[in-house]
Amino acid sequence: MSEQPIHRRYVMIFAVACLAILLPVVVLNYLLGLRSLGGVAVVLEASRWQQETRGITYAPPLSANRPFKSARLFDRLPEINAVVFGSSTAMSITQEMFPPGVSIYNFSQTGNVLATVVGEVEFLLQSQPALKWFVVPFDWALGSPYWPGESRPQDLAPPQPDSPGEDAVPISQRLSDALSLPRVKNLAAILGGVARASSPYQAFGEMFMHNAGEPYRCSDGTPARDFDTIFRSTCTGFRYDGSATFANHEPLSPQRTQVLIASAVVPSSKYATALIKSGGDPNQRLLEQLAVGARVMRERGGALVLLLPPLLPGLDRALHEAPDTSAALARTRQVLAQWAVAARVVVIDAGASERFGCAANEFVDEHHALPACYARVFSRLQDYWSHPAAFAPGLWPGKQ
Amino acid sequence: MLFNSNAFIFVFLPLTLAGFFLLARISTQLAAAWLTAASLFFYGWWNPAYLGLLVASIVCNFYFGAGIGRAVAVHAQPRAKGWLIAAISANLLLLAYFKYANFFLGSFNHLTGGGLSLGEIILPLGISFFTFTQIAFLADVYAGKVREYNFIHYGLFVTYFPHLIAGPVLHHAEMMPQFRRAETYRFSYENVAVGLTIFAIGLFKKIMLADPMGGYARPVFDAAASGVPLGALEAWGGALAYTFQLYFDFSGYSDMAIGLSRLFGVTLPLNFHSPYRAVNIIEFWRRWHMTLSRFLRDYLYVPLGGNRKGPARRYLNLLITMVLGGLWHGAGWTFVLWGALHGAYLAINHGWQLLCLRLGQDPQASSVVGRACSILLTFVAVVVAWVVFRAPDLDAAVLMLKAMAGVNGLVLPDFWLPKWGIFGAWLAAHGVVFGETRDLVTGGLINWIWVLLLVVWFAPNTQQFMSACRPALMLPADTTEGRLKWTPRPIYALIAAAMLTLAIFNLHQQSEFLYFQF
């Protein structure tokens, strides 16, 4: 054989082997992705199922939950008088943390920045006069309260069956997603499950052609149903009150704490960067808009509460002591304290979560606390909801 | 655009290849122009705003070069020298503004308490590489070594996308003849087979070896930067993780560049040749970033006088060359110190060899044990220098080095004690402390370290494995050693395909190459 045919054969085998692996993966994951990357039909079906069963579910993708949360919020509006806003940081806040008489929906969404949250607050202020309580997280650790600019006007109307959904995700992104390792691992697990099923053909059809798996029950008896093709049978998703189960995350081990804190306080970390760049001065315009919201809620007999979310025990103190972030963080608290007094708002300062007795294993990372930690924070606020005037405006619980 | 991205692998590369060989049927100049345009697109993908800077740099340098060439041709040396000084000054000023202005202003402000600032200056990608490449061209034009002035070929030589952003640092004398050769423009299955295989190996090294190592190194250096007192195990774990990250990242990139270029029928020079197997620092620099070493030797060390002016001047020249080499890597005192460290290492190494010769000893002669000790000593010296290179500031570097020296003691994770059985009990009985640790060094990292030590010390490198098909220029003599050799057999095609697909599945954690910042 001359050189060229040998090399030609080599290239062909190489190409065929690559295609034999990549093509089925792309096609099958693309099929799964048609639903797992979103779509109004799935959102509405998942929302309808949760309204009927009060079970745990979410509409894919897990990382973009605005349509699902909007649909759920509008279903829940007739029976609630409190809304929790914010990003995934606040997703652990549950109904159990509030006394009878305060009925919440946790409207927090992945990656929601303060400018958007203020837009959501304004929308609900204008359109929902029955709401009395707003809990607004102030995610200073993630930087968005320092971003300049105006609030972003929001329309929280639930998605309609004819509104665009799937088309919003470009095909290049769908293909990249189809080739990513988490999707490949998930596909391998799905195909393994299909192979082990009593009726593999039917199992394949259910997984690749249908919108959702069969309903099942979580360990506490709550019903659950998976509309996504990942995290199946793990009770991952949102509860009826809008809070997240974080069932797809592991709690932190105490050994990790020091490592994470050390990484978080270096000037290049995401926690330090925003503080350093902004000097710790929050966006005044957003604070003014929140002050207006607080006044309206007070007039309704309720309140707008600002929440500095709990951070991994020791992290707040470390940022307070680090030379690069110390002054900026102190500045943030100083500005918030002054604003709170002027706007007559209670700011729950849960940043130093160790003050509330939170432990490292009540977090999944540096800033995502699990319900156990939030329960410790809110347990000390039980009287607030019946006698908000008894709490002096300003940072609460103040210095200890 | 990154080599390790779906857009590059599935769209840019196939389209560029297809366009190149289709146009080559019409005209080789057209194909070269297409490749230049594709390379500019590749560069502009990052930030179109800096495309103009690159193009202006190419145009100016080409015309400066032509001016110098014309002056040299008529033996008008003063005029040629004037052109050369102006051209090199312009290049260095450009580099100084983008890369070093804020560093020098910051240092000046630190010393004087001033507040001078030029604001935030974004470093154009690959500016160090395309500036050095063109300075070498200008110097060689002046030396009368350049014969060809084809603008398209020159543009392609500078912008050629496999090397544009992070090298290898090319020499026009090794590239221009290849762009001129008609054979380059003919599609060859051999080139495709070899190129794809080398690219797959490089991508695998980057994605599957370097990136996981970076995940282990970062928290250790972060901890040092925030003043956490590290134990010896943690500091060594972090330092070794970075040592491997940098090697597999940059040598992986160089492999990818060599492989990609081979697809187009162009052979690039070798950039890495198992540097951690070097028996001394002199040899290390013949194996690490070989094209930069060549550039520094030919265009800095030799013009400074090299070894022609006595030992003392030679050591000074080495120190100057390495300090500037350090500064080339980045505008920071850690890079300067890293360069100075290597300059000192080289001076000591040369001094030792001189001493051996004066005592009648052969500095190259060594037993197996002696050779192993030399490799280990060189490796440790290199690791120590990498700590300075990686640390965000000098304080963090000192903290790391102190910890590596055992100043803060050695504590092994307590959960290792039962795992190690009798050996663990023996260690504990002999003073080794097993206690609670911070999770900076896990069992996973320890396994990675010993496996990768075996790889860098004993496994053939990419060029040795591929030596049957002349994978790169500047191949050392020992490249053909070793038994494991690639041949175009189906089994190797399947292994290469598996490596490529495995790497592709991990592209979602896409990370930049470390040398992009230099």
Side-chain angles (χ1 to χ4, degrees), chain B residues 9-50:
Chain B
I9 295 171
F10 293 113
V11 182
F12 177 84
L13 184 60
L15 286 180
T16 306
L17 259 179
F20 179 74
F21 286 112
L22 284 174
L23 289 171
R25 292 179 180 186
I26 304 166
S27 150
T28 57
Q29 286 296 298
L30 208 55
W34 163 261
L35 198 48
T36 308
S39 298
L40 289 172
F41 177 82
F42 173 87
Y43 187 82
W45 183 271
W46 162 69
N47 187 345
Y50 285 97

Side-chain angles (χ1 to χ4, degrees), chain A residues 289-305:
Chain A
Q289 288 172 280
L290 286 174
V292 172
R295 181 174 52 75
V296 175
M297 297 308 269
R298 225 172 17 251
E299 288 165 4
R300 292 180 187 176
L304 180 149
V305 177

Side-chain angles (χ1 to χ4, degrees), chain A residues 75-204:
Chain A
D75 278 345
R76 296 291 318 277
L77 276 173
E79 53 187 352
I80 63 169
N81 60 2
V83 175
V84 176
F85 295 88
S87 66
S88 57
T89 308
M91 280 183 182
S92 288
I93 299 174
T94 66
Q95 175 64 62
E96 287 72 34
M97 295 166 197
F98 295 84
V102 179
S103 180
I104 72 153
Y105 182 71
N106 189 326
F107 189 55
S108 56
Q109 301 139 54
T110 307
N112 222 14
V113 300
L114 188 62
T116 307
V117 167
V118 172
E120 292 167 356
V121 166
E122 291 189 326
F123 178 86
L124 289 179
L125 267 180
Q126 287 161 12
S127 61
Q128 302 298 327
L131 293 174
K132 282 176 64 180
W133 307 98
F134 282 171
V135 177
V136 179
F138 189 84
D139 273 329
W140 61 267
L142 297 182
S144 77
Y146 305 112
W147 296 356
E150 300 283 314
S151 65
R152 302 171 190 170
Q154 300 293 309
D155 180 357
L156 300 184
Q160 298 302 310
D162 56 350
S163 58
E166 291 172 22
D167 295 341
V169 183
I171 191 158
S172 58
Q173 199 178 318
R174 284 176 181 276
L175 290 173
S176 290
D177 181 73
L179 277 175
S180 68
L181 188 64
R183 293 283 178 200
V184 175
K185 280 182 177 172
N186 180 58
L187 180 65
I190 287 174
L191 292 177
V194 167
R196 285 190 300 274
S198 54
S199 170
Y201 187 76
Q202 188 188 343
F204 184 89

Side-chain angles (χ1 to χ4, degrees), chain A residues 49-50 53-59 62 206-207 211-239 245-248:
Chain A
W49 181 85
Q50 187 171 64
T53 63
R54 301 197 167 204
I56 293 168
T57 192
Y58 72 94
L62 185 54
E206 267 181 25
M207 192 56 78
N211 266 355
E214 290 300 311
Y216 59 98
R217 290 207 174 261
C218 304
S219 57
D220 63 355
T222 312
R225 194 173 185 197
D226 302 314
F227 286 80
D228 202 347
T229 53
I230 54 172
F231 307 129
R232 289 245 162 161
S233 307
T234 59
C235 292
T236 296
F238 300 109
R239 300 184 189 90
T245 62
F246 283 111
N248 55 329

Side-chain angles (χ1 to χ4, degrees), chain B residues 319-504:
Chain B
L319 198 63
I320 293 170
T321 304
M322 294 311 292
V323 165
L324 290 175
L327 204 55
W328 176 88
H329 281 84
W333 289 110
T334 50
F335 293 112
V336 173
L337 182 60
W338 172 78
L341 252 179
H342 269 282
Y345 286 168
L346 283 169
I348 291 168
N349 199 170
H350 280 289
W352 172 256
Q353 291 196 345
L354 195 64
L355 185 69
C356 285
L357 287 172
R358 284 185 181 166
L359 294 174
Q361 303 286 319
D362 178 5
Q364 308 301 332
S366 180
S367 63
V368 173
V369 175
R371 190 177 164 78
C373 290
S374 301
I375 291 173
L376 192 63
L377 179 65
T378 307
F379 182 71
V380 171
V382 168
V383 173
V384 166
W386 284 146
V387 169
V388 178
F389 187 85
R390 168 64 176 80
D393 53 51
L394 293 178
D395 290 342
V398 170
L399 210 72
M400 278 285 289
L401 292 174
K402 274 185 178 172
M404 287 164 73
V407 170
N408 301 328
L410 170 67
V411 180
L412 302 181
D414 47 10
F415 55 86
W416 287 4
L417 184 57
K419 280 186 189 171
W420 287 5
I422 299 169
F423 178 59
W426 183 85
L427 285 176
H430 288 81
V432 175
V433 179
F434 286 86
E436 199 174 310
T437 54
R438 278 174 290 243
D439 219 12
L440 282 168
V441 175
T442 61
L445 174 59
I446 300 295
N447 287 333
W448 270 110
I449 286 173
W450 71 259
V451 168
L452 293 181
L453 276 174
L454 291 177
V455 170
V456 299
W457 280 341
F458 299 108
N461 60 45
T462 310
Q463 283 67 36
Q464 286 172 325
F465 176 59
M466 301 296 294
S467 61
C469 52
R470 294 164 281 101
L473 307 173
M474 286 170 50
L475 288 176
D478 67 344
T479 309
T480 51
E481 288 174 7
R483 287 184 195 164
L484 192 61
K485 297 287 177 200
W486 178 86
T487 52
R489 284 187 300 172
I491 183 69
Y492 285 131
L494 293 174
I495 292 171
M499 289 171 87
L500 184 70
T501 47
L502 199 57
I504 286 171

